[in-house]
Amino acid sequence: MIYTSVTCLYVTSSKGKTMEYAVRKVDGLSFVSLPAAAAAVAGLPPGERLNGLLRACGVRFHASPYDRFVAAPVVALAGIGGLLFDWEPDDPADTVRLHELTGPLPVESLRRAVRNAGGASAFFTYLNPRDRSLAELGDTALRLGHRSVLHAAAATVLIAGHTSAVEHELATQRDLVHLSRLTVNRTMAQSDPPLRIADAELLPAADEIMRMIRQRLPAAGGASLDELECRNALFPAAKASVVLLSGTMRNLMKVAASGVAKEAELGGLASRLSAHITALCRLPDEVSGPPTAP
């Protein structure tokens, strides 16, 4: 049985703008519609856009009065093969669309397409003398340890609500994946960033620190980019961020493997990234354990 759920919530920003976000969950996979997220923050002042985007992508915040602090980040599939996922409100709950390209596609069809891509890559080794289906051929290659066939399919993954501290680790993986990231300091979007606070006991201290910073900093409006860079760098490394990782399934697995044994926050994100790629590929049981470097 395929478990499906659709979350479509409406939230109101501090400026009174009503925003919609859509996160669709199908059989253990989380999907996010970036077109919907982009539309949700249209018209917001620059200083509110980061906070609005995180909420639009389903990032969970602490309850008031600490609702400027992120409680839990999000890892979700944003696209496949370079094309973005999207859906319409009345689409079946176990489907997604390729933005501006297709009608509703069952998620199981996406899985078969990924497996077929791996099988097509394996086909050229011996030209498939037993005439297996492409999916079967891909499974055989994976059982034999040839994870390189997963380079044949690519995905785009959203990670949102993590700290800028752990994002530096992701940035070191640019030789494996393309990383689209928020400019760290030279932007109005960082003029009053939300913080990622995992331990609720630290919320009062974090709130006091942010109040002090806001009181002491010069106003961001009208500042040059150089002035913004100096001003915004004074915020803690716990400020929340958002990135897109784009790469082959195999390279995304390598990025996940590299983060498992590091900081707890990064390890948690890496485990969720690994789980999503493994579930999207639906790897055979023999190879679906923790990813390992080649």
PDB file of all heavy atoms in Angstrom, residues 182-217:
ATOM      1  N   LEU A 182      21.973  30.750  -0.700  1.00  0.00           N
ATOM      2  CA  LEU A 182      21.706  32.147  -0.390  1.00  0.00           C
ATOM      3  C   LEU A 182      23.020  32.878  -0.155  1.00  0.00           C
ATOM      4  O   LEU A 182      23.918  32.349   0.510  1.00  0.00           O
ATOM      5  CB  LEU A 182      20.828  32.224   0.866  1.00  0.00           C
ATOM      6  CG  LEU A 182      20.446  33.610   1.363  1.00  0.00           C
ATOM      7  CD1 LEU A 182      19.495  34.275   0.391  1.00  0.00           C
ATOM      8  CD2 LEU A 182      19.791  33.493   2.744  1.00  0.00           C
ATOM      9  N   THR A 183      23.150  34.085  -0.708  1.00  0.00           N
ATOM     10  CA  THR A 183      24.323  34.900  -0.424  1.00  0.00           C
ATOM     11  C   THR A 183      24.428  35.100   1.083  1.00  0.00           C
ATOM     12  O   THR A 183      23.445  35.471   1.740  1.00  0.00           O
ATOM     13  CB  THR A 183      24.226  36.264  -1.131  1.00  0.00           C
ATOM     14  OG1 THR A 183      24.214  36.042  -2.534  1.00  0.00           O
ATOM     15  CG2 THR A 183      25.397  37.153  -0.780  1.00  0.00           C
ATOM     16  N   VAL A 184      25.599  34.856   1.649  1.00  0.00           N
ATOM     17  CA  VAL A 184      25.731  34.802   3.100  1.00  0.00           C
ATOM     18  C   VAL A 184      25.479  36.156   3.758  1.00  0.00           C
ATOM     19  O   VAL A 184      24.777  36.242   4.761  1.00  0.00           O
ATOM     20  CB  VAL A 184      27.122  34.265   3.493  1.00  0.00           C
ATOM     21  CG1 VAL A 184      27.298  34.282   4.998  1.00  0.00           C
ATOM     22  CG2 VAL A 184      27.293  32.853   2.965  1.00  0.00           C
ATOM     23  N   ASN A 185      26.024  37.225   3.206  1.00  0.00           N
ATOM     24  CA  ASN A 185      25.909  38.525   3.872  1.00  0.00           C
ATOM     25  C   ASN A 185      25.506  39.682   2.968  1.00  0.00           C
ATOM     26  O   ASN A 185      24.860  40.617   3.439  1.00  0.00           O
ATOM     27  CB  ASN A 185      27.235  38.896   4.551  1.00  0.00           C
ATOM     28  CG  ASN A 185      27.581  37.980   5.705  1.00  0.00           C
ATOM     29  OD1 ASN A 185      26.719  37.623   6.492  1.00  0.00           O
ATOM     30  ND2 ASN A 185      28.838  37.583   5.785  1.00  0.00           N
ATOM     31  N   ARG A 186      25.863  39.639   1.701  1.00  0.00           N
ATOM     32  CA  ARG A 186      25.690  40.812   0.845  1.00  0.00           C
ATOM     33  C   ARG A 186      24.272  40.889   0.249  1.00  0.00           C
ATOM     34  O   ARG A 186      24.091  40.947  -0.959  1.00  0.00           O
ATOM     35  CB  ARG A 186      26.727  40.805  -0.275  1.00  0.00           C
ATOM     36  CG  ARG A 186      28.143  40.989   0.213  1.00  0.00           C
ATOM     37  CD  ARG A 186      29.143  40.810  -0.914  1.00  0.00           C
ATOM     38  NE  ARG A 186      29.040  41.820  -1.944  1.00  0.00           N
ATOM     39  CZ  ARG A 186      29.664  42.997  -1.912  1.00  0.00           C
ATOM     40  NH1 ARG A 186      30.416  43.315  -0.872  1.00  0.00           N
ATOM     41  NH2 ARG A 186      29.533  43.845  -2.907  1.00  0.00           N
ATOM     42  N   THR A 187      23.283  40.870   1.092  1.00  0.00           N
ATOM     43  CA  THR A 187      21.911  40.929   0.621  1.00  0.00           C
ATOM     44  C   THR A 187      20.997  41.415   1.735  1.00  0.00           C
ATOM     45  O   THR A 187      21.232  41.141   2.918  1.00  0.00           O
ATOM     46  CB  THR A 187      21.429  39.544   0.133  1.00  0.00           C
ATOM     47  OG1 THR A 187      20.028  39.595  -0.129  1.00  0.00           O
ATOM     48  CG2 THR A 187      21.688  38.476   1.163  1.00  0.00           C
ATOM     49  N   MET A 188      19.930  42.113   1.360  1.00  0.00           N
ATOM     50  CA  MET A 188      18.935  42.552   2.343  1.00  0.00           C
ATOM     51  C   MET A 188      18.202  41.372   2.960  1.00  0.00           C
ATOM     52  O   MET A 188      17.638  41.479   4.044  1.00  0.00           O
ATOM     53  CB  MET A 188      17.935  43.496   1.686  1.00  0.00           C
ATOM     54  CG  MET A 188      18.433  44.918   1.496  1.00  0.00           C
ATOM     55  SD  MET A 188      18.601  45.792   3.072  1.00  0.00           S
ATOM     56  CE  MET A 188      16.877  45.900   3.562  1.00  0.00           C
ATOM     57  N   ALA A 189      18.204  40.225   2.270  1.00  0.00           N
ATOM     58  CA  ALA A 189      17.535  39.047   2.818  1.00  0.00           C
ATOM     59  C   ALA A 189      18.165  38.595   4.130  1.00  0.00           C
ATOM     60  O   ALA A 189      17.541  37.872   4.910  1.00  0.00           O
ATOM     61  CB  ALA A 189      17.573  37.905   1.807  1.00  0.00           C
ATOM     62  N   GLN A 190      19.426  39.022   4.385  1.00  0.00           N
ATOM     63  CA  GLN A 190      20.112  38.636   5.613  1.00  0.00           C
ATOM     64  C   GLN A 190      20.112  39.754   6.648  1.00  0.00           C
ATOM     65  O   GLN A 190      20.839  39.686   7.640  1.00  0.00           O
ATOM     66  CB  GLN A 190      21.567  38.246   5.282  1.00  0.00           C
ATOM     67  CG  GLN A 190      21.707  37.014   4.432  1.00  0.00           C
ATOM     68  CD  GLN A 190      21.554  35.730   5.226  1.00  0.00           C
ATOM     69  OE1 GLN A 190      21.021  35.727   6.324  1.00  0.00           O
ATOM     70  NE2 GLN A 190      22.020  34.627   4.662  1.00  0.00           N
ATOM     71  N   SER A 191      19.287  40.786   6.444  1.00  0.00           N
ATOM     72  CA  SER A 191      19.298  41.932   7.353  1.00  0.00           C
ATOM     73  C   SER A 191      18.644  41.631   8.696  1.00  0.00           C
ATOM     74  O   SER A 191      18.884  42.335   9.670  1.00  0.00           O
ATOM     75  CB  SER A 191      18.614  43.135   6.703  1.00  0.00           C
ATOM     76  OG  SER A 191      17.255  42.849   6.413  1.00  0.00           O
ATOM     77  N   ASP A 192      17.795  40.602   8.774  1.00  0.00           N
ATOM     78  CA  ASP A 192      17.200  40.178  10.043  1.00  0.00           C
ATOM     79  C   ASP A 192      16.847  38.704   9.933  1.00  0.00           C
ATOM     80  O   ASP A 192      15.677  38.316   9.947  1.00  0.00           O
ATOM     81  CB  ASP A 192      15.951  41.007  10.359  1.00  0.00           C
ATOM     82  CG  ASP A 192      15.426  40.746  11.763  1.00  0.00           C
ATOM     83  OD1 ASP A 192      16.150  40.119  12.568  1.00  0.00           O
ATOM     84  OD2 ASP A 192      14.281  41.151  12.054  1.00  0.00           O
ATOM     85  N   PRO A 193      17.855  37.828   9.821  1.00  0.00           N
ATOM     86  CA  PRO A 193      17.598  36.415   9.511  1.00  0.00           C
ATOM     87  C   PRO A 193      17.020  35.656  10.694  1.00  0.00           C
ATOM     88  O   PRO A 193      17.327  35.960  11.848  1.00  0.00           O
ATOM     89  CB  PRO A 193      18.992  35.885   9.166  1.00  0.00           C
ATOM     90  CG  PRO A 193      19.919  36.731   9.992  1.00  0.00           C
ATOM     91  CD  PRO A 193      19.295  38.099   9.991  1.00  0.00           C
ATOM     92  N   PRO A 194      16.165  34.653  10.424  1.00  0.00           N
ATOM     93  CA  PRO A 194      15.743  33.753  11.500  1.00  0.00           C
ATOM     94  C   PRO A 194      16.902  32.867  11.911  1.00  0.00           C
ATOM     95  O   PRO A 194      17.822  32.633  11.131  1.00  0.00           O
ATOM     96  CB  PRO A 194      14.615  32.943  10.860  1.00  0.00           C
ATOM     97  CG  PRO A 194      14.918  32.977   9.394  1.00  0.00           C
ATOM     98  CD  PRO A 194      15.571  34.294   9.126  1.00  0.00           C
ATOM     99  N   LEU A 195      16.867  32.394  13.154  1.00  0.00           N
ATOM    100  CA  LEU A 195      17.901  31.495  13.647  1.00  0.00           C
ATOM    101  C   LEU A 195      17.343  30.088  13.782  1.00  0.00           C
ATOM    102  O   LEU A 195      16.161  29.895  14.043  1.00  0.00           O
ATOM    103  CB  LEU A 195      18.431  31.936  15.017  1.00  0.00           C
ATOM    104  CG  LEU A 195      19.079  33.312  15.140  1.00  0.00           C
ATOM    105  CD1 LEU A 195      19.708  33.449  16.523  1.00  0.00           C
ATOM    106  CD2 LEU A 195      20.104  33.560  14.054  1.00  0.00           C
ATOM    107  N   ARG A 196      18.200  29.104  13.600  1.00  0.00           N
ATOM    108  CA  ARG A 196      17.851  27.704  13.821  1.00  0.00           C
ATOM    109  C   ARG A 196      18.266  27.349  15.245  1.00  0.00           C
ATOM    110  O   ARG A 196      19.458  27.308  15.564  1.00  0.00           O
ATOM    111  CB  ARG A 196      18.566  26.826  12.792  1.00  0.00           C
ATOM    112  CG  ARG A 196      18.753  25.362  13.197  1.00  0.00           C
ATOM    113  CD  ARG A 196      17.478  24.571  13.077  1.00  0.00           C
ATOM    114  NE  ARG A 196      17.764  23.134  13.169  1.00  0.00           N
ATOM    115  CZ  ARG A 196      17.240  22.319  14.058  1.00  0.00           C
ATOM    116  NH1 ARG A 196      16.392  22.781  14.955  1.00  0.00           N
ATOM    117  NH2 ARG A 196      17.534  21.032  14.060  1.00  0.00           N
ATOM    118  N   ILE A 197      17.289  27.143  16.122  1.00  0.00           N
ATOM    119  CA  ILE A 197      17.546  26.797  17.520  1.00  0.00           C
ATOM    120  C   ILE A 197      16.918  25.438  17.800  1.00  0.00           C
ATOM    121  O   ILE A 197      15.693  25.316  17.922  1.00  0.00           O
ATOM    122  CB  ILE A 197      16.972  27.858  18.489  1.00  0.00           C
ATOM    123  CG1 ILE A 197      17.507  29.251  18.129  1.00  0.00           C
ATOM    124  CG2 ILE A 197      17.324  27.498  19.922  1.00  0.00           C
ATOM    125  CD1 ILE A 197      18.999  29.418  18.256  1.00  0.00           C
ATOM    126  N   ALA A 198      17.755  24.411  17.899  1.00  0.00           N
ATOM    127  CA  ALA A 198      17.247  23.055  18.096  1.00  0.00           C
ATOM    128  C   ALA A 198      16.821  22.810  19.535  1.00  0.00           C
ATOM    129  O   ALA A 198      15.857  22.089  19.790  1.00  0.00           O
ATOM    130  CB  ALA A 198      18.311  22.041  17.690  1.00  0.00           C
ATOM    131  N   ASP A 199      17.529  23.404  20.495  1.00  0.00           N
ATOM    132  CA  ASP A 199      17.253  23.197  21.916  1.00  0.00           C
ATOM    133  C   ASP A 199      16.325  24.296  22.410  1.00  0.00           C
ATOM    134  O   ASP A 199      16.716  25.461  22.515  1.00  0.00           O
ATOM    135  CB  ASP A 199      18.570  23.206  22.693  1.00  0.00           C
ATOM    136  CG  ASP A 199      18.398  22.834  24.151  1.00  0.00           C
ATOM    137  OD1 ASP A 199      17.247  22.794  24.632  1.00  0.00           O
ATOM    138  OD2 ASP A 199      19.421  22.594  24.819  1.00  0.00           O
ATOM    139  N   ALA A 200      15.093  23.934  22.739  1.00  0.00           N
ATOM    140  CA  ALA A 200      14.100  24.933  23.157  1.00  0.00           C
ATOM    141  C   ALA A 200      14.536  25.674  24.417  1.00  0.00           C
ATOM    142  O   ALA A 200      14.112  26.822  24.638  1.00  0.00           O
ATOM    143  CB  ALA A 200      12.749  24.260  23.383  1.00  0.00           C
ATOM    144  N   GLU A 201      15.376  25.070  25.252  1.00  0.00           N
ATOM    145  CA  GLU A 201      15.824  25.746  26.466  1.00  0.00           C
ATOM    146  C   GLU A 201      16.689  26.969  26.160  1.00  0.00           C
ATOM    147  O   GLU A 201      16.843  27.854  27.002  1.00  0.00           O
ATOM    148  CB  GLU A 201      16.599  24.767  27.352  1.00  0.00           C
ATOM    149  CG  GLU A 201      15.732  23.654  27.940  1.00  0.00           C
ATOM    150  CD  GLU A 201      16.505  22.775  28.903  1.00  0.00           C
ATOM    151  OE1 GLU A 201      17.721  23.032  29.087  1.00  0.00           O
ATOM    152  OE2 GLU A 201      15.904  21.838  29.451  1.00  0.00           O
ATOM    153  N   LEU A 202      17.239  27.022  24.956  1.00  0.00           N
ATOM    154  CA  LEU A 202      18.090  28.153  24.575  1.00  0.00           C
ATOM    155  C   LEU A 202      17.312  29.297  23.931  1.00  0.00           C
ATOM    156  O   LEU A 202      17.897  30.321  23.586  1.00  0.00           O
ATOM    157  CB  LEU A 202      19.185  27.668  23.612  1.00  0.00           C
ATOM    158  CG  LEU A 202      20.194  26.672  24.187  1.00  0.00           C
ATOM    159  CD1 LEU A 202      21.172  26.248  23.094  1.00  0.00           C
ATOM    160  CD2 LEU A 202      20.950  27.286  25.360  1.00  0.00           C
ATOM    161  N   LEU A 203      16.009  29.130  23.744  1.00  0.00           N
ATOM    162  CA  LEU A 203      15.220  30.163  23.067  1.00  0.00           C
ATOM    163  C   LEU A 203      15.269  31.508  23.783  1.00  0.00           C
ATOM    164  O   LEU A 203      15.444  32.553  23.118  1.00  0.00           O
ATOM    165  CB  LEU A 203      13.779  29.687  22.897  1.00  0.00           C
ATOM    166  CG  LEU A 203      13.570  28.614  21.827  1.00  0.00           C
ATOM    167  CD1 LEU A 203      12.148  28.064  21.886  1.00  0.00           C
ATOM    168  CD2 LEU A 203      13.850  29.181  20.439  1.00  0.00           C
ATOM    169  N   PRO A 204      15.110  31.587  25.111  1.00  0.00           N
ATOM    170  CA  PRO A 204      15.198  32.902  25.765  1.00  0.00           C
ATOM    171  C   PRO A 204      16.545  33.583  25.544  1.00  0.00           C
ATOM    172  O   PRO A 204      16.604  34.789  25.283  1.00  0.00           O
ATOM    173  CB  PRO A 204      14.957  32.584  27.246  1.00  0.00           C
ATOM    174  CG  PRO A 204      14.166  31.313  27.232  1.00  0.00           C
ATOM    175  CD  PRO A 204      14.713  30.533  26.067  1.00  0.00           C
ATOM    176  N   ALA A 205      17.635  32.820  25.628  1.00  0.00           N
ATOM    177  CA  ALA A 205      18.961  33.399  25.398  1.00  0.00           C
ATOM    178  C   ALA A 205      19.108  33.869  23.954  1.00  0.00           C
ATOM    179  O   ALA A 205      19.643  34.959  23.694  1.00  0.00           O
ATOM    180  CB  ALA A 205      20.046  32.386  25.740  1.00  0.00           C
ATOM    181  N   ALA A 206      18.631  33.050  22.999  1.00  0.00           N
ATOM    182  CA  ALA A 206      18.710  33.435  21.586  1.00  0.00           C
ATOM    183  C   ALA A 206      17.898  34.697  21.325  1.00  0.00           C
ATOM    184  O   ALA A 206      18.332  35.586  20.573  1.00  0.00           O
ATOM    185  CB  ALA A 206      18.211  32.291  20.712  1.00  0.00           C
ATOM    186  N   ASP A 207      16.736  34.789  21.936  1.00  0.00           N
ATOM    187  CA  ASP A 207      15.891  35.968  21.764  1.00  0.00           C
ATOM    188  C   ASP A 207      16.580  37.215  22.301  1.00  0.00           C
ATOM    189  O   ASP A 207      16.560  38.279  21.675  1.00  0.00           O
ATOM    190  CB  ASP A 207      14.555  35.740  22.472  1.00  0.00           C
ATOM    191  CG  ASP A 207      13.532  36.808  22.129  1.00  0.00           C
ATOM    192  OD1 ASP A 207      13.380  37.115  20.929  1.00  0.00           O
ATOM    193  OD2 ASP A 207      12.886  37.335  23.053  1.00  0.00           O
ATOM    194  N   GLU A 208      17.227  37.095  23.441  1.00  0.00           N
ATOM    195  CA  GLU A 208      17.940  38.230  24.032  1.00  0.00           C
ATOM    196  C   GLU A 208      19.109  38.657  23.151  1.00  0.00           C
ATOM    197  O   GLU A 208      19.350  39.864  22.950  1.00  0.00           O
ATOM    198  CB  GLU A 208      18.427  37.856  25.426  1.00  0.00           C
ATOM    199  CG  GLU A 208      19.124  38.995  26.155  1.00  0.00           C
ATOM    200  CD  GLU A 208      19.546  38.597  27.560  1.00  0.00           C
ATOM    201  OE1 GLU A 208      19.085  37.543  28.052  1.00  0.00           O
ATOM    202  OE2 GLU A 208      20.351  39.348  28.166  1.00  0.00           O
ATOM    203  N   ILE A 209      19.841  37.682  22.623  1.00  0.00           N
ATOM    204  CA  ILE A 209      20.973  38.000  21.748  1.00  0.00           C
ATOM    205  C   ILE A 209      20.501  38.737  20.499  1.00  0.00           C
ATOM    206  O   ILE A 209      21.098  39.738  20.079  1.00  0.00           O
ATOM    207  CB  ILE A 209      21.724  36.709  21.374  1.00  0.00           C
ATOM    208  CG1 ILE A 209      22.453  36.145  22.590  1.00  0.00           C
ATOM    209  CG2 ILE A 209      22.711  36.963  20.232  1.00  0.00           C
ATOM    210  CD1 ILE A 209      23.027  34.762  22.380  1.00  0.00           C
ATOM    211  N   MET A 210      19.431  38.252  19.887  1.00  0.00           N
ATOM    212  CA  MET A 210      18.935  38.895  18.668  1.00  0.00           C
ATOM    213  C   MET A 210      18.401  40.296  18.945  1.00  0.00           C
ATOM    214  O   MET A 210      18.582  41.217  18.132  1.00  0.00           O
ATOM    215  CB  MET A 210      17.858  38.026  18.035  1.00  0.00           C
ATOM    216  CG  MET A 210      18.384  36.740  17.428  1.00  0.00           C
ATOM    217  SD  MET A 210      19.531  37.019  16.045  1.00  0.00           S
ATOM    218  CE  MET A 210      18.369  37.468  14.752  1.00  0.00           C
ATOM    219  N   ARG A 211      17.745  40.496  20.072  1.00  0.00           N
ATOM    220  CA  ARG A 211      17.272  41.830  20.419  1.00  0.00           C
ATOM    221  C   ARG A 211      18.440  42.808  20.564  1.00  0.00           C
ATOM    222  O   ARG A 211      18.386  43.950  20.106  1.00  0.00           O
ATOM    223  CB  ARG A 211      16.463  41.790  21.715  1.00  0.00           C
ATOM    224  CG  ARG A 211      15.099  41.120  21.585  1.00  0.00           C
ATOM    225  CD  ARG A 211      14.401  41.066  22.947  1.00  0.00           C
ATOM    226  NE  ARG A 211      13.168  40.328  22.875  1.00  0.00           N
ATOM    227  CZ  ARG A 211      12.003  40.848  22.542  1.00  0.00           C
ATOM    228  NH1 ARG A 211      11.934  42.154  22.253  1.00  0.00           N
ATOM    229  NH2 ARG A 211      10.907  40.116  22.510  1.00  0.00           N
ATOM    230  N   MET A 212      19.505  42.349  21.198  1.00  0.00           N
ATOM    231  CA  MET A 212      20.682  43.197  21.383  1.00  0.00           C
ATOM    232  C   MET A 212      21.318  43.546  20.050  1.00  0.00           C
ATOM    233  O   MET A 212      21.688  44.694  19.791  1.00  0.00           O
ATOM    234  CB  MET A 212      21.682  42.498  22.301  1.00  0.00           C
ATOM    235  CG  MET A 212      22.923  43.336  22.626  1.00  0.00           C
ATOM    236  SD  MET A 212      24.258  43.115  21.418  1.00  0.00           S
ATOM    237  CE  MET A 212      24.750  41.432  21.797  1.00  0.00           C
ATOM    238  N   ILE A 213      21.430  42.544  19.150  1.00  0.00           N
ATOM    239  CA  ILE A 213      22.031  42.790  17.837  1.00  0.00           C
ATOM    240  C   ILE A 213      21.203  43.803  17.056  1.00  0.00           C
ATOM    241  O   ILE A 213      21.739  44.747  16.461  1.00  0.00           O
ATOM    242  CB  ILE A 213      22.160  41.468  17.057  1.00  0.00           C
ATOM    243  CG1 ILE A 213      23.195  40.555  17.718  1.00  0.00           C
ATOM    244  CG2 ILE A 213      22.546  41.749  15.601  1.00  0.00           C
ATOM    245  CD1 ILE A 213      23.311  39.197  17.056  1.00  0.00           C
ATOM    246  N   ARG A 214      19.884  43.638  17.059  1.00  0.00           N
ATOM    247  CA  ARG A 214      19.018  44.558  16.315  1.00  0.00           C
ATOM    248  C   ARG A 214      19.134  45.980  16.853  1.00  0.00           C
ATOM    249  O   ARG A 214      19.107  46.942  16.080  1.00  0.00           O
ATOM    250  CB  ARG A 214      17.564  44.085  16.391  1.00  0.00           C
ATOM    251  CG  ARG A 214      17.284  42.770  15.672  1.00  0.00           C
ATOM    252  CD  ARG A 214      15.791  42.484  15.641  1.00  0.00           C
ATOM    253  NE  ARG A 214      15.502  41.138  15.167  1.00  0.00           N
ATOM    254  CZ  ARG A 214      15.113  40.139  15.937  1.00  0.00           C
ATOM    255  NH1 ARG A 214      14.952  40.325  17.247  1.00  0.00           N
ATOM    256  NH2 ARG A 214      14.875  38.951  15.425  1.00  0.00           N
ATOM    257  N   GLN A 215      19.250  46.117  18.173  1.00  0.00           N
ATOM    258  CA  GLN A 215      19.345  47.447  18.776  1.00  0.00           C
ATOM    259  C   GLN A 215      20.658  48.134  18.431  1.00  0.00           C
ATOM    260  O   GLN A 215      20.702  49.360  18.242  1.00  0.00           O
ATOM    261  CB  GLN A 215      19.195  47.342  20.296  1.00  0.00           C
ATOM    262  CG  GLN A 215      17.796  46.967  20.752  1.00  0.00           C
ATOM    263  CD  GLN A 215      17.722  46.669  22.237  1.00  0.00           C
ATOM    264  OE1 GLN A 215      18.756  46.692  22.938  1.00  0.00           O
ATOM    265  NE2 GLN A 215      16.534  46.384  22.737  1.00  0.00           N
ATOM    266  N   ARG A 216      21.732  47.358  18.336  1.00  0.00           N
ATOM    267  CA  ARG A 216      23.057  47.945  18.129  1.00  0.00           C
ATOM    268  C   ARG A 216      23.400  48.156  16.663  1.00  0.00           C
ATOM    269  O   ARG A 216      24.218  49.034  16.338  1.00  0.00           O
ATOM    270  CB  ARG A 216      24.118  47.049  18.769  1.00  0.00           C
ATOM    271  CG  ARG A 216      24.005  46.906  20.274  1.00  0.00           C
ATOM    272  CD  ARG A 216      24.279  48.224  20.986  1.00  0.00           C
ATOM    273  NE  ARG A 216      24.257  48.078  22.430  1.00  0.00           N
ATOM    274  CZ  ARG A 216      25.312  47.768  23.164  1.00  0.00           C
ATOM    275  NH1 ARG A 216      26.490  47.541  22.585  1.00  0.00           N
ATOM    276  NH2 ARG A 216      25.213  47.676  24.472  1.00  0.00           N
ATOM    277  N   LEU A 217      22.811  47.376  15.767  1.00  0.00           N
ATOM    278  CA  LEU A 217      23.173  47.477  14.358  1.00  0.00           C
ATOM    279  C   LEU A 217      22.563  48.716  13.710  1.00  0.00           C
ATOM    280  O   LEU A 217      21.432  49.093  14.034  1.00  0.00           O
ATOM    281  CB  LEU A 217      22.697  46.235  13.588  1.00  0.00           C
ATOM    282  CG  LEU A 217      23.519  44.957  13.729  1.00  0.00           C
ATOM    283  CD1 LEU A 217      22.875  43.854  12.913  1.00  0.00           C
ATOM    284  CD2 LEU A 217      24.948  45.181  13.272  1.00  0.00           C
TER     285      LEU A 217
END
